[in-house]
Amino acid sequence: MTSEAFPLSYAPETNRNNVLADLVEISIRQGEGQLTRYGALAVETGEHTGRSAQDKFTVRDAVTEDTLWWDNNKPMSPEHFDVLYADFVEHAKGRELFVQELYAGADEEYRLNARIFVEKAWHALFIRHMLRRPEKAELAGFDPEFTVVNLPSFRADPARHGCRTETVIACNFTKKLVLIGGSLYAGETKKSVFSYLNFTMPEAGVMPMHCSANVGDKYDSAVFFGLSGTGKTTLSADPNRALLGDDEHGWSPNGIYNFEGGCYAKTIRLSEEAEPEIYAASNRFGAVLENVILDADSREPDFDDGRLTENTRAAYPLYFIPNAKPSSQAGHPKNIVMLCADAFGVLPPIAKLTPSQAMYHFLSGYTAKVAGTEKGMGNEPEATFSTCFGAPFMPRHPSAYGNMLRDLIAKHEVSCWLVNTGWTGGKFGTGSRMPIQATRALLDAALSGDLQNHKMRVDPLFGFEVPISLQGVDPAILTPRDTWADTAAYDEQAKALVGMFTENFKKFSAHVDADVLQAAPSLQESTE
């Protein structure tokens, strides 16, 4: 390898650190996408409309051998990586690459200097939105600490490169380099940066988090953990609170800070009425729309059309959100919210967690996929447990992150909540989606501290506290069993969900203290 992680000379001066308008013009000129009637850049990602988790590999060497969670990370030999690197260098010759030099991290004490090579101008625009943009003067002495190379036209050879298919995401933490080939899905680039931060930040005393975050006018910051589709972006974009970011943050001795400089919002069934801030940001010049269908004549985006994928996305810089906080930093959080979309209709819309219960649910990382949203799914909801609410991006064992979170919660006396944005009155297909107005009202009460003063009941299966009432919220939805026409069916479904939690948590039992094991739900007769 050269003294550089990847030859900077492969990107001409004219393609380095292009600004937003340049990259939109180049993308259109090169036929990479088209403008919507509102000026957003609409692109399609072809075969890959989401991350290729099965094609992600990490180099297994002296640095990672005893530090990575190999049950969750696929190994690649250093020899295979070196061959892959040489082939990437050869493949890049004569191609027009773009380079963006960016910061990962709003806190200057902990930020990472990242150099990103991409083959598509719209990929450069995407990552320019996603990470933090240095001032022009700062670029003169920019010294990259981490490099990503994304060449969608590259096709890997499994036998030659030690991978699975022609698509490859190869992470070398020792060489601080990630190579991505065979996928047009831009999210691979940003998640590669996040994976590296998840590996390095704990040693620097920073808790890396797959979460959104916002802050109130009393400097009362809040963190929202949640998997895709649970409302992480929607609920953090609160007009009454300043947005820090919607996806990836660090919790340092200084407080919380955004790793990113933009938002990557799901847009399937996006509406101006339900999500005005995200809708407006997605419909303006500079935004990137992935796999959103446009009307052939008017170029009006149809956010209800999921024919290409349910994972349609909008990428835009944070300043597109009117109430985003420019510094993307705040003090230590007062509240932690763990979001799930329970398609089984069992969990209440909100529950108060003890610190031990918070660690249990953090390590569990539960949500439920809805039937029909992914290939191969049947007619029933499917439980998903993604530890730390981001298993694909967690290089270290989950207990490392869980222990950090537990200690931070205790040190800063943080209130913890479990919020169900899924179904009520029955499971998917029978019940209905939790009213967003109720979710927001309950969250507002939790974040303001008002909910702490309300009378609570103890859930007989999960053991957490649930408010009995809140003004403006239908009291029926606070007791899920009462919303089911067939309470016996609820009992069976609830016990089934408890069984899923129990089975999933077995792999963590040897790594947690007794109080966390005691925080688990238990199978017993309902007393409600």
Side-chain angles (χ1 to χ4, degrees):
M1 296 177 66
T2 66
S3 58
E4 297 171 327
F6 197 81
L8 183 60
S9 59
Y10 280 22
E13 290 283 354
T14 54
N15 287 1
R16 297 180 193 173
N17 297 309
N18 304 77
V19 296
L20 185 156
D22 290 341
L23 292 169
V24 172
E25 289 177 347
I26 297 168
S27 297
I28 296 298
R29 187 168 64 245
Q30 296 186 163
E32 296 176 0
Q34 59 180 323
L35 293 181
T36 72
R37 66 176 297 178
Y38 306 108
L41 178 65
V43 298
E44 294 185 7
T45 63
E47 175 188 359
H48 296 286
T49 58
R51 291 179 302 98
S52 300
Q54 297 304 311
D55 294 309
K56 180 180 179 183
F57 297 84
T58 305
V59 173
R60 192 168 193 160
D61 57 18
V63 171
T64 59
E65 175 66 40
D66 297 323
T67 53
L68 254 69
W69 179 31
W70 291 111
D71 289 347
N72 190 59
N73 291 270
K74 295 179 175 62
M76 174 178 281
S77 71
E79 293 77 16
H80 276 131
F81 184 88
D82 288 345
V83 172
L84 181 67
Y85 173 82
D87 288 348
F88 257 68
V89 170
E90 187 64 28
H91 185 81
K93 289 180 180 178
R95 296 179 185 273
E96 184 180 14
L97 301 188
F98 297 84
V99 165
Q100 288 286 315
E101 293 171 318
L102 303 159
Y103 296 137
D107 187 330
E108 292 185 16
E109 186 175 346
Y110 297 100
R111 73 186 181 194
L112 175 75
N113 290 7
R115 177 177 285 166
I116 314 295
F117 290 82
V118 294
E119 200 173 358
K120 299 291 184 181
W122 81 262
H123 274 199
L125 178 60
F126 170 88
I127 200 62
R128 185 173 178 83
H129 288 343
M130 288 298 98
L131 297 184
R132 303 188 68 83
R133 300 158 291 279
E135 297 294 331
K136 188 173 182 179
E138 296 175 296
L139 291 171
F142 191 90
D143 183 18
E145 304 166 275
F146 176 69
T147 302
V148 179
V149 185
N150 189 336
L151 306 179
S153 66
F154 182 89
R155 295 293 180 266
D157 179 344
R160 179 174 171 80
H161 301 129
C163 52
R164 189 182 72 102
T165 68
E166 290 186 338
T167 299
V168 65
I169 302 97
C171 307
N172 192 320
F173 292 151
T174 302
K175 294 181 176 178
K176 302 176 182 179
L177 174 64
V178 175
L179 304 175
I180 303 170
S183 174
L184 269 172
Y185 183 67
E188 297 287 11
T189 302
K190 100 177 192 102
K191 289 304 184 185
S192 295
V193 177
F194 188 35
S195 294
Y196 181 73
L197 290 171
N198 272 347
F199 179 69
T200 59
M201 286 293 98
E203 291 184 349
V206 176
M207 167 74 180
M209 303 179 292
H210 182 216
C211 70
S212 59
N214 62 25
V215 60
D217 56 12
K218 298 179 181 178
Y219 214 51
D220 52 332
S221 62
V223 164
F224 299 78
F225 289 106
L227 300 173
S228 179
T230 58
K232 186 159 52 70
T233 298
T234 300
L235 294 172
S236 59
D238 184 335
N240 298 313
R241 297 172 63 84
L243 178 70
L244 300 183
D246 79 330
D247 200 36
E248 298 165 2
H249 292 78
W251 190 348
S252 78
N254 302 327
I256 58 174
Y257 67 95
N258 193 357
F259 285 160
E260 300 184 289
C263 297
Y264 194 29
K266 288 194 76 169
T267 59
I268 192 68
R269 291 174 286 280
L270 176 66
S271 73
E272 187 172 15
E273 295 73 26
E275 301 172 80
E277 294 85 6
I278 297 171
Y279 184 88
S282 302
N283 283 296
R284 59 180 284 186
F285 179 77
V288 178
L289 299 184
E290 281 186 348
N291 300 310
V292 174
I293 300 295
L294 305 185
D295 179 83
D297 297 322
S298 68
R299 296 198 191 176
E300 178 81 28
D302 185 351
F303 293 116
D304 294 328
D305 193 331
R307 77 180 75 171
L308 293 179
T309 178
E310 288 276 316
N311 191 38
T312 55
R313 296 273 182 167
Y316 47 83
L318 271 170
Y319 65 81
F320 277 22
I321 300 294
N323 65 328
K325 188 175 183 182
S327 72
S328 292
Q329 299 181 71
H332 300 288
K334 302 294 185 184
N335 290 277
I336 287 176
V337 179
M338 298 183 188
L339 300 166
C340 69
D342 176 26
F344 297 108
V346 169
L347 296 179
I350 195 165
K352 180 77 164 62
L353 303 177
T354 66
S356 298
Q357 289 169 341
M359 185 172 178
Y360 180 90
H361 285 278
F362 178 71
L363 291 177
S364 295
Y366 166 70
T367 194
K369 295 177 183 177
V370 175
T373 59
E374 293 189 10
K375 292 180 180 178
M377 286 193 66
N379 296 321
E380 294 295 315
E382 182 179 300
T384 298
F385 293 92
S386 185
T387 186
C388 307
F389 295 96
F393 328 118
M394 300 296 164
R396 298 178 183 271
H397 192 276
S399 60
Y401 308 106
N403 288 332
M404 287 189 78
L405 184 67
R406 177 198 60 198
D407 293 345
L408 286 164
I409 288 171
K411 181 177 181 179
H412 299 289
E413 299 180 339
V414 184
S415 296
C416 300
W417 308 88
L418 182 69
V419 170
N420 172 25
T421 60
W423 270 255
T424 181
K427 64 182 179 181
F428 172 75
T430 302
S432 57
R433 195 71 191 253
M434 195 72 69
I436 184 68
Q437 298 86 353
T439 301
R440 287 197 181 278
L442 290 162
L443 262 180
D444 287 347
L447 300 185
S448 70
D450 178 56
L451 204 56
Q452 303 268 23
N453 303 318
H454 281 63
K455 187 176 180 181
M456 301 272 188
R457 66 176 178 87
V458 176
D459 185 273
L461 294 180
F462 284 83
F464 42 48
E465 293 185 326
V466 181
I468 294 173
S469 65
L470 181 72
Q471 186 175 0
V473 175
D474 180 1
I477 68 170
L478 294 170
T479 306
R481 188 173 187 266
D482 291 348
T483 67
W484 284 52
D486 183 347
T487 55
Y490 169 86
D491 292 340
E492 287 302 311
Q493 187 65 75
K495 290 179 180 180
L497 183 58
V498 169
M500 295 176 203
F501 269 91
T502 302
E503 182 63 28
N504 172 72
F505 207 78
K506 287 179 179 178
K507 59 180 174 285
F508 302 126
S509 297
H511 301 279
V512 299
D513 295 335
D515 62 310
V516 178
L517 292 176
Q518 292 168 4
S522 59
L523 293 171
Q524 54 185 288
E525 293 298 321
S526 176
T527 59
E528 298 191 275

